Amino acid sequence: MEDELIRRLYQEFGSALLGHAMRLTGNDRQWAEDIVQETLVRAWRNAEKLERDPVLLRSWLFTVARRLVIDDRRKRSVRPQESELTPSDEAPVRDEADRTLAAIVVAEAMNGLTEEHREAILETYLRDRTVGEAAAVLGVPPGTVKSRVYYALRALRRALQDRG
């Protein structure tokens, strides 16, 4: 029964769904076909819950496709772009002098911050804690941590601009 539903969905809505997915993906056919396939898989998984009204089915399918594209775009935005390595990229020579100099400049700028601001930056950025976690460690409300981080970053930015 569920297999028959999926066949019927594909027959009735497949081409419209593919057209919708093509628009959403910027006419990337392979991506659009993947979106249609995943949309139909989700319909198959939720077959017992789906409404049988064609208007509601179409709406549900289009919404699922749109959300899949949005999720894919979000995933792609947090991943670095892949690129081909060229022979000159394979064995880069690292010069740690620039990195060391930058670390010294940032450390000096950090020393110019108030203790509260320095602690907020240390907990949130250097120890990779959330605002809530940093607030618990520092014993202050989360809003205070947010405020301290905001003003600390402003002061750091100014200090680093002054240092060039």
Side-chain angles (χ1 to χ4, degrees), residues 10-157:
Y10 188 74
Q11 288 171 349
E12 289 184 35
F13 304 110
S15 61
L17 188 57
L18 180 60
H20 180 64
M22 289 286 288
R23 284 188 297 281
L24 293 172
T25 61
N27 293 320
D28 182 333
R29 183 151 187 107
Q30 183 178 359
W31 186 15
E33 288 174 352
D34 289 344
I35 294 298
V36 169
Q37 181 177 3
E38 181 59 28
T39 301
L40 292 174
V41 166
R42 296 210 179 169
W44 177 72
R45 286 184 188 153
N46 294 290
E48 70 281 349
K49 299 176 198 170
L50 290 178
E51 292 288 332
R52 301 300 188 223
D53 179 352
V55 174
L56 295 175
L57 276 172
R58 179 184 167 102
S59 177
W60 186 88
L61 291 168
F62 277 46
T63 300
V64 169
R66 183 176 53 82
R67 289 181 179 165
L68 287 169
V69 171
I70 290 169
D71 289 347
D72 281 356
R73 282 205 172 104
R74 286 180 181 157
K75 287 177 195 171
R76 290 177 185 191
S77 71
V78 295
R79 264 190 293 163
Q81 288 287 350
E82 296 176 8
S83 61
E84 294 290 322
L85 286 178
T86 61
S88 64
D89 292 336
E90 290 176 6
V93 177
R94 292 188 176 225
D95 182 9
E96 295 295 322
D98 287 341
R99 190 172 176 177
T100 303
L101 181 60
I104 291 169
V105 170
V106 170
E108 287 176 359
M110 287 284 290
N111 287 334
L113 297 177
T114 65
E115 184 176 344
E116 292 85 10
H117 289 163
R118 195 170 36 252
E119 287 174 340
I121 293 290
L122 178 73
E123 294 300 327
T124 56
Y125 282 93
L126 301 178
R127 293 195 177 133
D128 200 29
R129 291 192 168 120
T130 65
V131 171
E133 293 168 343
V137 168
L138 298 173
V140 297
T144 301
V145 173
K146 287 180 186 179
S147 176
R148 288 179 182 175
V149 167
Y150 172 80
Y151 287 109
L153 289 175
R154 271 184 48 187
L156 268 177
R157 193 173 299 118

